[in-house]
Amino acid sequence: MMDILQSCRLCPRQCGVDRSSGKQGYCGADDRLLVARAALHFWEEPCISGTKGSGTVFFSGCPLGCRFCQNYEISARGVGKAISIQRLADIFLELQDRGANNINLVSPTQYVPHIIKALELVKARLSIPVVYNTGGYERVETLKQLEGYVDIWLSDAKYADPVRSKNYSAAQDYPQTAFAAIAEMLRQCGTPTFDENGMLRRGVIVRHLVLPGGMKDSFAVLDRLAEQKKNHDFLLSLMAQYTPYRKDEQYTELNRRISSYEYRRVCEYAQQLGFEGFQQERSSAKEEYTPDFDLTGV
Ligand code: SF4
């Protein structure tokens, strides 16, 4: 299973780098398993965080290159501690022991082989769902390897317009790739199911972050998701938390938060299409969403 690292094609970049020799791929990952934080997290959707928190494991590196990334320290700067697969498995159990509602794998794509091995080590002792929390830039082939290991897919659908995905996330193929990935997630996990406390046990949540000046593309994303919803049900989470952490000199439209009008129009459009789901207060753009990547729990 780890052979794939000799010519890595785990994500749609398919950069083919020999990570096993210590070289870094586009995503920043090499032969090490880097984790920046493992802790209870309370700012996911209510059916993920609940009152006890989600057992988040933040992995370092990312196959996307979003200019507005809120986890920049780990996605692009490589903050993280190298750990063994056994240690990752132990972290899963520690989070479960601390009462986590689930194990929430954040930016996991580049470590799928490591994660599968770690889950194999603990599957008999892990009774909480495993959440795969991704920007949506995924290869269907890689997702298929995770069938039976992941209970809840938590995926972004960022763009429908390839020009915007190229400009903002360095991935022109993002729209076709992400919507195909979501179709595979829906095939694997289908209609959402909840436990007696309203916590999600199985299913798919699709997140869409509303961007400043991006209303038209948000509508197009929702149109495509509405098509997908005809085949399988899922939960939609419309996010208002966009915060310009760094000044963007090239795409200056990204240098502001979204307006109440923009967010309301996108929510109204989602409702017209028949979506029910989660909406955020626009005032929710707080720094707590971005925890300290200080190696807590690693
Ligand atoms: S996961 Fe990283 S190393 Fe592998 S193909 Fe993608 S960018 Fe390249």
Short mmCIF file of all heavy atoms in Angstrom, two decimals, residues 8-17 19 24-29 62-63 109-110, ligand 1:
data_model
loop_
_atom_site.label_atom_id
_atom_site.label_comp_id
_atom_site.label_asym_id
_atom_site.label_seq_id
_atom_site.Cartn_x
_atom_site.Cartn_y
_atom_site.Cartn_z
N CYS A 8 3.94 9.16 -6.42
CA CYS A 8 2.65 9.47 -5.78
C CYS A 8 1.63 10.02 -6.79
O CYS A 8 1.89 10.98 -7.51
CB CYS A 8 2.85 10.45 -4.63
SG CYS A 8 1.31 10.71 -3.71
N ARG A 9 0.48 9.39 -6.78
CA ARG A 9 -0.65 9.85 -7.60
C ARG A 9 -1.93 9.82 -6.76
O ARG A 9 -3.00 9.52 -7.27
CB ARG A 9 -0.80 8.96 -8.84
CG ARG A 9 0.32 9.18 -9.82
CD ARG A 9 0.14 8.55 -11.17
NE ARG A 9 0.98 9.20 -12.15
CZ ARG A 9 2.31 9.09 -12.22
NH1 ARG A 9 2.96 8.36 -11.34
NH2 ARG A 9 2.99 9.74 -13.13
N LEU A 10 -1.76 10.11 -5.49
CA LEU A 10 -2.92 10.02 -4.60
C LEU A 10 -3.97 11.09 -4.90
O LEU A 10 -5.16 10.84 -4.76
CB LEU A 10 -2.46 10.17 -3.14
CG LEU A 10 -1.79 8.94 -2.53
CD1 LEU A 10 -1.16 9.31 -1.19
CD2 LEU A 10 -2.80 7.82 -2.33
N CYS A 11 -3.51 12.26 -5.29
CA CYS A 11 -4.48 13.34 -5.52
C CYS A 11 -4.51 13.71 -7.00
O CYS A 11 -3.70 13.23 -7.78
CB CYS A 11 -4.13 14.56 -4.65
SG CYS A 11 -2.92 15.64 -5.41
N PRO A 12 -5.44 14.57 -7.40
CA PRO A 12 -5.56 14.90 -8.82
C PRO A 12 -4.33 15.57 -9.43
O PRO A 12 -4.21 15.63 -10.65
CB PRO A 12 -6.77 15.84 -8.86
CG PRO A 12 -7.56 15.49 -7.65
CD PRO A 12 -6.55 15.14 -6.61
N ARG A 13 -3.43 16.09 -8.63
CA ARG A 13 -2.19 16.65 -9.19
C ARG A 13 -1.37 15.55 -9.88
O ARG A 13 -0.64 15.83 -10.82
CB ARG A 13 -1.32 17.26 -8.10
CG ARG A 13 -1.98 18.37 -7.35
CD ARG A 13 -1.66 19.74 -7.89
NE ARG A 13 -2.42 20.74 -7.19
CZ ARG A 13 -2.88 21.86 -7.74
NH1 ARG A 13 -2.66 22.12 -9.00
NH2 ARG A 13 -3.57 22.73 -7.04
N GLN A 14 -1.46 14.34 -9.30
CA GLN A 14 -0.72 13.19 -9.84
C GLN A 14 0.71 13.58 -10.19
O GLN A 14 1.19 13.29 -11.30
CB GLN A 14 -1.44 12.61 -11.06
CG GLN A 14 -2.84 12.12 -10.73
CD GLN A 14 -3.44 11.29 -11.85
OE1 GLN A 14 -2.89 10.26 -12.24
NE2 GLN A 14 -4.56 11.71 -12.36
N CYS A 15 1.39 14.21 -9.25
CA CYS A 15 2.71 14.77 -9.59
C CYS A 15 3.78 13.69 -9.72
O CYS A 15 4.85 13.95 -10.26
CB CYS A 15 3.11 15.86 -8.63
SG CYS A 15 3.36 15.36 -6.94
N GLY A 16 3.51 12.47 -9.27
CA GLY A 16 4.43 11.36 -9.53
C GLY A 16 5.75 11.44 -8.78
O GLY A 16 6.69 10.72 -9.11
N VAL A 17 5.84 12.28 -7.79
CA VAL A 17 7.09 12.42 -7.02
C VAL A 17 7.36 11.16 -6.21
O VAL A 17 6.44 10.50 -5.74
CB VAL A 17 6.95 13.66 -6.09
CG1 VAL A 17 7.90 13.60 -4.91
CG2 VAL A 17 7.17 14.92 -6.89
N ARG A 19 8.03 10.16 -3.10
CA ARG A 19 8.01 10.63 -1.72
C ARG A 19 8.82 9.71 -0.82
O ARG A 19 9.34 10.15 0.22
CB ARG A 19 6.56 10.73 -1.22
CG ARG A 19 5.81 11.90 -1.82
CD ARG A 19 4.33 11.87 -1.50
NE ARG A 19 4.06 11.78 -0.07
CZ ARG A 19 2.84 11.62 0.45
NH1 ARG A 19 1.78 11.53 -0.36
NH2 ARG A 19 2.67 11.55 1.76
N GLN A 24 9.54 16.09 -1.79
CA GLN A 24 8.21 16.63 -1.49
C GLN A 24 7.38 16.75 -2.75
O GLN A 24 7.87 17.19 -3.79
CB GLN A 24 8.34 18.05 -0.92
CG GLN A 24 8.68 18.08 0.55
CD GLN A 24 8.63 19.51 1.07
OE1 GLN A 24 8.75 20.46 0.32
NE2 GLN A 24 8.46 19.64 2.37
N GLY A 25 6.10 16.38 -2.64
CA GLY A 25 5.18 16.59 -3.75
C GLY A 25 4.65 18.01 -3.74
O GLY A 25 4.99 18.81 -2.86
N TYR A 26 3.79 18.29 -4.70
CA TYR A 26 3.18 19.62 -4.78
C TYR A 26 2.50 19.98 -3.45
O TYR A 26 2.51 21.12 -3.01
CB TYR A 26 2.13 19.63 -5.90
CG TYR A 26 1.42 20.95 -6.08
CD1 TYR A 26 1.86 21.87 -7.03
CD2 TYR A 26 0.32 21.28 -5.29
CE1 TYR A 26 1.20 23.09 -7.18
CE2 TYR A 26 -0.34 22.50 -5.44
CZ TYR A 26 0.11 23.39 -6.38
OH TYR A 26 -0.53 24.60 -6.52
N CYS A 27 1.94 18.97 -2.80
CA CYS A 27 1.20 19.18 -1.56
C CYS A 27 2.09 19.46 -0.36
O CYS A 27 1.60 19.79 0.71
CB CYS A 27 0.36 17.94 -1.26
SG CYS A 27 1.37 16.46 -1.05
N GLY A 28 3.40 19.29 -0.54
CA GLY A 28 4.33 19.52 0.56
C GLY A 28 4.66 18.27 1.35
O GLY A 28 5.53 18.29 2.23
N ALA A 29 3.99 17.16 1.06
CA ALA A 29 4.23 15.93 1.83
C ALA A 29 5.43 15.17 1.25
O ALA A 29 5.66 15.18 0.04
CB ALA A 29 2.99 15.04 1.80
N CYS A 62 -1.25 20.11 1.64
CA CYS A 62 -2.55 20.15 0.97
C CYS A 62 -2.34 20.13 -0.53
O CYS A 62 -1.46 20.83 -1.03
CB CYS A 62 -3.32 21.41 1.37
SG CYS A 62 -4.96 21.50 0.59
N PRO A 63 -3.15 19.36 -1.25
CA PRO A 63 -3.00 19.34 -2.71
C PRO A 63 -3.53 20.60 -3.40
O PRO A 63 -3.22 20.83 -4.55
CB PRO A 63 -3.85 18.13 -3.14
CG PRO A 63 -4.22 17.41 -1.90
CD PRO A 63 -4.12 18.38 -0.78
N THR A 109 -5.76 13.86 2.39
CA THR A 109 -5.55 13.22 1.09
C THR A 109 -4.16 12.62 0.92
O THR A 109 -3.99 11.48 0.48
CB THR A 109 -5.80 14.24 -0.03
OG1 THR A 109 -6.96 15.01 0.28
CG2 THR A 109 -5.94 13.58 -1.38
N GLN A 110 -3.16 13.41 1.25
CA GLN A 110 -1.77 12.99 0.97
C GLN A 110 -1.29 11.88 1.90
O GLN A 110 -0.21 11.34 1.72
CB GLN A 110 -0.82 14.21 1.00
CG GLN A 110 -0.79 15.00 2.28
CD GLN A 110 -1.94 16.00 2.39
OE1 GLN A 110 -2.90 15.96 1.62
NE2 GLN A 110 -1.87 16.87 3.38
S1 SF4 B 1 -0.73 13.82 -2.79
FE1 SF4 B 1 0.98 15.27 -2.97
S2 SF4 B 1 2.71 14.07 -3.73
FE2 SF4 B 1 0.84 12.88 -4.09
S3 SF4 B 1 0.17 13.39 -6.18
FE3 SF4 B 1 -0.86 14.81 -4.80
S4 SF4 B 1 0.47 16.61 -4.70
FE4 SF4 B 1 1.69 14.93 -5.54
#
